[in-house]
Amino acid sequence: MLDAILWFFQNIGLAFYNFGYAITQPQLWLNWSDKEALMRFVYYGGSVEFFYVVFTAFLVLTAFGVWKNRFMWGCVWALEGFANTVGRFFAWAGLLMVIQQIVIVFIQRIFARPDIVLGFGIPLELDISWWSEELKFYNALVVALCCTYTFVQGGHVRVDLIYSAISFRAKRVVDMIGCLLFMMPMAVLTWMYGWYFLWRHLIVPKPSASDALDRLLLKARAVRWNVETIGFSPNGFNGYFLFKILLVAFAAMVFIHAIAFFYRSYLEWKEGPESENKYLDKDSLGEGEEAYEGTH
C-alpha cells in the first residue's frame, strides 16, 4: 500500500517534468517524418505519463478554481462554450444526411444511375453504395461530436429514482460524485481502448497497449502507414478509420465536459440555488416559444 501511494505521488510530481519536456522538445513526438517520433506519439497518447499530466492539470486547475471561483466559472463558460460550438456545427451533419439520402433515392429510382458524379474538371465518381454507406459517417459525427452539446442543453434521458426528491445542494453532490466515479473513468477507458484501436488501423506493425516504449521504438524500424480502406461491400464506403478517430474524439470531449460539469456542480453547491444555470448558454426556439422548450 505504501509503495502504491508513493508511486501515485511520484507520478504527479513527474507530470510537471514530462509536460515541460514534451512542449520544449516537440520534434521528438510531432515530427512524423521520423518513424521513432511517430511511435513515441502512439505510445505517449495512451501512456501512464500522459494520464498523469492530464490528471495533474485537473488538480492544479481545480485547486486554483477553489481559491478563485471567478476563474472556475471562466473554465465552465469556456468548456461549455467549446461543447456548444462543436455540437452546433456538427449537428448540421443530420441535415446533410437527409439531403444525401433524398439525392440517392432520386438517382437510383428516377434516373436509374449506379453512381453519383460530383466536381468540375476532374469529377469525383463513386458508386451509389459508397454514398449510401457514407450516411453512417454523418450519423457517427452527430453521435460522437454532439454528445457533450446535448449534455449542456439537458437533452440526455436521465434515470431519476431519488434525484428529484433530494435538496438542491444534495443534487450537486450527486452530480460531482457522478463526474468523478462514472464520467471520467468511462472516458479514460474509452480513450485507452480507442487510442490503440485507432492506431492498429493506421500503421503496421500494429502497436499494442502492452508494448513498452523501447519495444515500440524497435518496431519503428519497420513501421509504415497502412490506413484502413476496406469497406463492407466492394464499392462501399472505405473510410472506416474515420470512425476510430471519432471514438477518440468522443472520449476526449466527454472527459473535458466531465471537468466542466464537476466545476459547475461544485460552484452551484457552494453558491446555492441563485447560481443555478449561471452562464449556461442553452438553445432557444425564439421569443414566445417558451412552452415548446425541451420538447424537441
Side-chain angles (χ1 to χ4, degrees):
M1 179 62 72
L2 183 61
D3 289 341
I5 295 174
L6 180 62
W7 178 82
F8 174 76
F9 285 103
Q10 184 180 24
N11 277 286
I12 289 179
L14 286 173
F16 295 97
Y17 169 78
N18 291 331
F19 177 74
Y21 190 78
I23 61 174
T24 55
Q25 304 290 333
Q27 72 279 1
L28 294 179
W29 54 284
L30 283 180
N31 179 22
W32 289 4
S33 60
D34 179 2
K35 294 181 178 180
E36 288 192 356
L38 174 60
M39 296 307 271
R40 286 192 191 96
F41 184 85
V42 173
Y43 170 78
Y44 284 114
S47 66
V48 172
E49 291 86 348
F50 178 64
F51 170 81
Y52 274 98
V53 166
V54 175
F55 179 67
T56 304
F58 169 67
L59 293 180
V60 171
L61 290 175
T62 302
F64 190 78
V66 170
W67 178 46
K68 295 286 188 181
N69 286 171
R70 290 184 61 185
F71 171 77
M72 188 174 281
W73 274 121
C75 291
V76 171
W77 176 81
L79 296 178
E80 288 184 347
F82 171 70
N84 277 335
T85 301
V86 173
R88 286 166 179 160
F89 179 81
F90 285 100
W92 289 100
L95 177 61
L96 290 176
M97 182 167 53
V98 173
I99 294 174
Q100 187 165 308
Q101 182 64 75
I102 293 172
V103 171
I104 289 170
V105 171
F106 267 81
I107 295 294
Q108 273 188 315
R109 303 303 177 187
I110 297 178
F111 298 103
R113 289 283 303 175
D115 55 11
I116 297 178
V117 182
L118 297 176
F120 300 94
I122 301 176
L124 175 65
E125 182 177 353
L126 294 167
D127 194 86
I128 284 287
S129 62
W130 191 96
W131 297 100
S132 297
E133 290 185 16
E134 192 205 11
L135 296 175
K136 301 175 187 175
F137 181 64
Y138 293 136
N139 189 59
L141 284 173
V142 174
V143 171
L145 301 181
C146 297
C147 180
T148 54
Y149 161 67
T150 307
F151 194 107
V152 173
Q153 301 300 320
H156 287 300
V157 175
R158 190 169 203 150
V159 179
D160 187 357
L161 299 177
I162 61 171
Y163 190 81
S164 61
I166 59 180
S167 67
F168 176 83
R169 281 192 165 87
K171 289 178 181 178
R172 302 290 86 81
V173 172
V174 170
D175 289 338
M176 286 188 283
I177 294 173
C179 288
L180 296 177
L181 297 185
F182 296 102
M183 284 186 73
M184 287 184 178
M186 183 280 294
V188 170
L189 287 174
T190 305
W191 174 279
M192 287 296 298
Y193 282 99
W195 181 258
Y196 288 100
F197 184 54
L198 165 65
W199 285 101
R200 283 197 296 270
H201 292 85
L202 292 180
I203 60 175
V204 289
K206 295 182 178 181
S208 171
S210 61
D211 286 343
L213 178 59
D214 292 342
R215 181 172 176 79
L216 286 177
L217 291 178
L218 287 175
K219 288 184 178 181
R221 301 175 183 176
V223 73
R224 60 183 175 83
W225 290 100
N226 186 38
V227 179
E228 177 190 40
T229 57
I230 300 174
F232 286 108
S233 59
N235 296 317
F237 182 67
N238 57 354
Y240 281 96
F241 70 94
L242 296 173
F243 290 85
K244 283 79 172 180
I245 296 176
L246 287 178
L247 178 62
V248 172
F250 163 78
M253 291 189 67
V254 169
F255 187 87
I256 290 172
H257 189 66
I259 296 174
F261 191 55
F262 177 82
Y263 286 173
R264 173 174 287 281
S265 300
Y266 167 77
L267 291 166
E268 290 183 357
W269 169 82
K270 183 178 180 180
E271 297 179 5
E274 63 276 7
S275 67
E276 185 175 13
N277 295 333
K278 187 177 180 179
Y279 302 123
L280 185 62
D281 179 18
K282 295 192 72 173
D283 292 340
S284 174
L285 297 176
E287 188 177 355
E289 300 292 337
E290 292 81 3
Y292 300 98
E293 298 292 338
T295 63
H296 54 290

